[in-house]
Amino acid sequence: MDFNQKQLQILETAERLFAMRGFHGASVRDIAQEADVNIAMISYYFGSKERLIESIFLKRILDVKTGLDELVKDKHLAPLEKMNRLIDLFVARISERPHFCRMMVRAQATEEGIPTDLITDVKKQMYEMVKKLITEGQKKGAFVSDLDPLMLVNTIVGTTNHITISQNFLRKMWNMEQMTDEKFREHLREKVSNHLKKMFKVVLTHEP
């Protein structure tokens, strides 16, 4: 899905405002003013506020699906290495998009304007890809048999989402309030990825 520069400007502005104010709290007029476009342009490109939030969702998850698909098709990586790269992929994509993370957490909690059927369908597709990685590892004897793929996916996404929206708290707890945003995000990605990889190694293989 390709967007022109003006569409990207609208999508990024809408994402930020939906994250801050919620779906009903951010009007199309607000988005138009912040994005420096007229309301008619938003209507022309997206049709409605519901289609706008749907487009944000599709834009953000497309590269995650692409990365997952590449992992599934890779015949050279060992099963555990595939899972490690899966963790890196999810952590990177979620942590670098805090507005999207907040928007989706808020939208799913309140079901405000959320494209439920679309999100359910995409989540199922992504779950099936992860399930293939786990099944492949089990067939090769690298992973144990008593695994719940859905819970593993929820562990990755849930942990990363929570940490992403708790960055200010973590800065204080780790005494990193003076660190630049870029450096802190880099530190956070590495810390979360390493934590999940250690935990998943034990869960997937029963090895410490």
Side-chain angles (χ1 to χ4, degrees), residues 32-83:
Q33 289 178 345
E34 291 280 341
D36 195 26
V37 300
N38 58 53
I39 295 177
M41 183 175 290
I42 295 179
S43 179
Y44 172 75
Y45 282 134
F46 302 103
S48 65
K49 200 158 67 163
E50 287 76 13
R51 291 295 301 275
L52 181 56
I53 198 172
E54 180 179 307
S55 296
I56 293 170
F57 177 77
L58 287 173
K59 175 179 178 293
R60 291 308 189 195
I61 56 87
L62 184 60
D63 58 343
V64 177
K65 286 184 63 179
T66 301
L68 272 174
D69 188 53
E70 290 174 356
L71 276 177
V72 170
K73 293 177 180 178
D74 195 311
K75 303 298 182 183
H76 305 292
L77 291 175
L80 188 59
E81 179 59 27
K82 283 191 177 185
M83 290 304 298

Side-chain angles (χ1 to χ4, degrees), residues 163-174:
I163 287 176
T164 298
I165 63 178
S166 304
Q167 290 187 41
N168 291 336
F169 169 73
L170 293 173
R171 274 179 178 271
K172 293 178 181 178
M173 292 299 294
W174 293 333

Side-chain angles (χ1 to χ4, degrees), residues 124-174:
K124 284 182 178 179
Q125 292 178 40
M126 294 174 70
Y127 161 72
E128 290 299 332
M129 290 180 183
V130 176
K131 186 177 179 180
K132 283 183 181 180
L133 294 182
I134 294 173
T135 301
E136 175 190 313
Q138 290 172 325
K139 287 180 179 179
K140 291 183 177 181
F143 297 158
V144 297
S145 58
D146 57 333
L147 296 171
D148 186 332
L150 186 57
M151 289 305 299
L152 293 176
V153 173
N154 283 327
T155 298
I156 297 174
V157 176
T159 300
T160 310
N161 273 340
H162 177 74
I163 287 176
T164 298
I165 63 178
S166 304
Q167 290 187 41
N168 291 336
F169 169 73
L170 293 173
R171 274 179 178 271
K172 293 178 181 178
M173 292 299 294
W174 293 333

Side-chain angles (χ1 to χ4, degrees), residues 96-141:
E96 69 191 15
R97 295 163 183 164
H99 291 311
F100 178 69
C101 176
R102 288 185 176 88
M103 184 193 79
M104 290 307 299
V105 169
R106 185 168 187 165
Q108 291 183 89
T110 61
E111 297 187 352
E112 292 181 352
I114 191 168
T116 307
D117 292 341
L118 173 65
I119 290 178
T120 298
D121 181 59
V122 173
K123 281 185 173 181
K124 284 182 178 179
Q125 292 178 40
M126 294 174 70
Y127 161 72
E128 290 299 332
M129 290 180 183
V130 176
K131 186 177 179 180
K132 283 183 181 180
L133 294 182
I134 294 173
T135 301
E136 175 190 313
Q138 290 172 325
K139 287 180 179 179
K140 291 183 177 181

